[in-house]
Amino acid sequence: MNMRTKLVIAAGAAIWLVPMTRAVAGIDVTAGDWKIDFSGNVNAFYVGTSCDDASHEAIVGGLACTGDHSVSVRNGLLPAALVFSATTRQSDFDIDVTIGFYPGINSSLGGAVNGAANPAALQSPGIDARQIYFTFGDASWGTVKMGRDIGLFAKDAILDDMTLLGVGTASGNPAPSNTSLGRIGIGYIYTDWQPQITYTTPSFSGFSGSLGLFQPLNKPGNVADDPFNPAFQPGYTSHNTPQIQAGIAYAWGDPKSAGVTGKVWLDVVSQHLKADSSLVAIYNAAGISTDYTGTGFDGGVKVGVAGFEAVLYGYSGKGIGTTGFYILPTSASGETRKSDGGYVQATYKFDKLKVGLSYGISDLKLANDEAATAGNTLVKRNESGVVGVYYSLTKSVTLVGEYVATKAEAWNSASNRQNDVALGGIIFF
């Protein structure tokens, strides 16, 4: 994949996004010293979802549905995309500027970006411009990126997820938003698109590394004026240090040869989060932590030989939450929760047909001041198994069929199950 022009990561369920994993030519135009490239995709899927009935207890952070069964025509893990990129060589620098637009096919309220889904008359989808950056560098010393782009932590996990071209877990299927979940929250934490200044080394015999300063993210709270309310969650929205992400990787082999190819990688993320100064006195009086540091690491290995490819990935963190960064990372008193998970995946390609199996989990531990009581509906584990079939109708068009079984379990032993069947296709240009 050409990471400069073909990184097409999308958001769904109001927060998710993911990238394109196959190299495509795009549409190239030369204008003076600049080479201009347009690329993108369009996809659509028919999805049928069955849920446990509404008598099942709702699980906080659970990713399996309850209530009525549903059908939809929707985007998969990728939304549609139109990515514009311009490159040039000036004064011994390679320069690139990229802007990506990501529309969905499903309606949102008033066409708002990542707005609430609304499959009703006289509605329209939103357009999400979440890829906006430029780079400068040289093959001799590396590349500096400035702007908004995919993060480093868990990037490879989502790029190697086979459901990237399909659907995976179909979140919000009765009223779908721009994308499904794939394996987000069920094998990895979503890497997200974030404002950043990142340096990436050149490749040294297959070894490379990246280090970035990122816009720190909020951990939103609620009922801020009443920390004794049972529904209270502390908020941490003050930041005086950046979020730090870093990664190292080693890749080997030539994908065009018949030999063994692969990659191993390791990433870290860390951020200090603080309560706004207006809340410090309130939190202190209630015995609530006024700040904490959320840190995580992940790693994986991908190996391919002939038509076979396998991926093994895992992550662990404290105070980073589950599904997305800083979602459910602390208890009501601000004590941090640990989280971990991962997935295993195997695919085999027979000429134009690729078949795959994937299983993943995401666990969220209780904080030290929490207990697994009958009333604790906090998610303990989200897990899913996926069977996928991907057929290359042409070099641009892929037809997809998936069966996905998802289960959410709470700390009070409540559980919900969801089964999805998806049929559709995606075209890249």
Side-chain angles (χ1 to χ4, degrees):
M1 178 180 65
N2 181 334
M3 292 293 288
R4 175 184 62 81
T5 60
K6 310 306 178 191
L7 192 60
V8 180
I9 295 184
I15 60 173
W16 325 126
L17 273 167
V18 237
M20 191 183 287
T21 57
R22 57 187 294 183
V24 285
I27 301 169
D28 296 327
V29 178
T30 300
D33 294 334
W34 291 86
K35 180 181 179 181
I36 301 170
D37 180 283
F38 297 91
S39 62
N41 86 84
V42 176
N43 70 85
F45 296 88
Y46 177 86
V47 179
T49 293
S50 63
C51 311
D52 282 336
D53 63 54
S55 66
H56 281 242
E57 194 167 18
I59 296 175
V60 177
L63 299 179
C65 62
T66 59
D68 295 337
H69 300 342
S70 64
V71 297
S72 68
V73 177
R74 62 179 296 167
N75 281 120
L77 183 50
L78 288 171
L82 177 60
V83 180
F84 163 88
S85 185
T87 59
T88 189
R89 177 79 175 176
Q90 297 179 1
S91 303
D92 296 326
F93 290 100
D94 293 317
I95 298 173
D96 165 38
V97 59
T98 295
I99 300 176
F101 300 95
Y102 301 89
I105 66 172
N106 294 98
S107 297
S108 60
L109 285 172
V113 174
N114 290 335
N118 187 32
L122 307 179
Q123 301 297 317
S124 61
I127 298 177
D128 194 350
R130 62 183 60 218
Q131 195 176 24
I132 310 167
Y133 69 84
F134 77 94
T135 68
F136 63 91
D138 183 75
S140 63
W141 59 267
T143 302
V144 176
K145 177 189 295 180
M146 297 183 176
R148 184 185 183 100
D149 198 22
I150 188 173
L152 301 176
F153 182 86
K155 175 189 68 178
D156 289 279
I158 199 167
L159 290 172
D160 293 324
D161 181 359
M162 72 182 193
T163 69
L164 193 64
L165 301 187
V167 177
T169 297
S171 56
N173 202 53
S177 55
N178 273 5
T179 71
S180 60
L181 284 176
R183 202 163 264 306
I184 295 170
I186 317 173
Y188 50 81
I189 291 175
Y190 179 53
T191 182
D192 225 316
W193 300 94
Q194 296 186 57
Q196 61 186 275
I197 299 175
T198 299
Y199 166 71
T200 299
T201 71
S203 176
F204 298 104
S205 300
F207 288 94
S208 61
S210 297
L211 174 64
L213 304 179
F214 288 71
Q215 164 65 33
L217 299 177
N218 290 341
K219 188 275 179 183
N222 62 8
V223 203
D225 59 344
D226 187 6
F228 299 99
N229 187 312
F232 173 79
Q233 281 294 318
Y236 299 95
T237 59
S238 178
H239 316 288
N240 57 13
T241 56
Q243 181 186 110
I244 304 294
Q245 294 191 32
I248 56 173
Y250 172 68
W252 68 91
D254 181 357
K256 297 180 181 179
S257 71
V260 178
T261 62
K263 180 180 181 179
V264 293
W265 68 91
L266 177 69
D267 307 307
V268 295
V269 60
S270 184
Q271 180 185 319
H272 187 227
L273 298 92
K274 298 172 58 180
D276 186 88
S277 58
S278 64
L279 298 174
V280 169
I282 297 173
Y283 283 15
N284 281 334
I288 298 169
S289 296
T290 58
D291 69 311
Y292 79 95
T293 298
T295 302
F297 68 90
D298 77 340
V301 56
K302 177 175 72 173
V303 177
V305 58
F308 175 78
E309 185 175 89
V311 178
L312 179 64
Y313 170 81
Y315 73 91
S316 183
K318 185 176 182 180
I320 60 174
T322 187
T323 303
F325 283 130
Y326 313 115
I327 294 177
L328 304 175
T330 71
S331 68
S333 67
E335 289 287 323
T336 55
R337 295 168 175 153
K338 294 181 179 179
S339 54
D340 52 58
Y343 72 91
V344 59
Q345 174 182 291
T347 62
Y348 192 85
K349 188 172 184 180
F350 309 85
D351 191 22
K352 293 185 176 183
L353 179 67
K354 183 172 76 172
V355 295
L357 298 173
S358 177
Y359 171 76
I361 61 172
S362 284
D363 289 344
L364 184 65
K365 306 297 195 298
L366 295 177
N368 291 334
D369 61 348
E370 295 178 303
T373 61
N376 192 338
T377 58
L378 179 70
V379 66
K380 180 179 182 181
R381 168 173 290 185
N382 285 306
E383 63 179 309
S384 74
V386 183
V387 179
V389 180
Y390 311 88
Y391 180 75
S392 299
L393 184 67
T394 73
K395 65 179 182 180
S396 299
V397 177
T398 300
L399 302 180
V400 178
E402 290 180 341
Y403 171 75
V404 186
T406 304
K407 180 183 178 182
E409 181 183 356
W411 278 97
N412 67 351
S413 298
S415 65
N416 299 319
R417 295 179 182 271
Q418 172 177 334
N419 295 293
D420 301 305
V421 176
L423 297 171
I426 184 168
I427 181 170
F428 294 98
F429 64 90

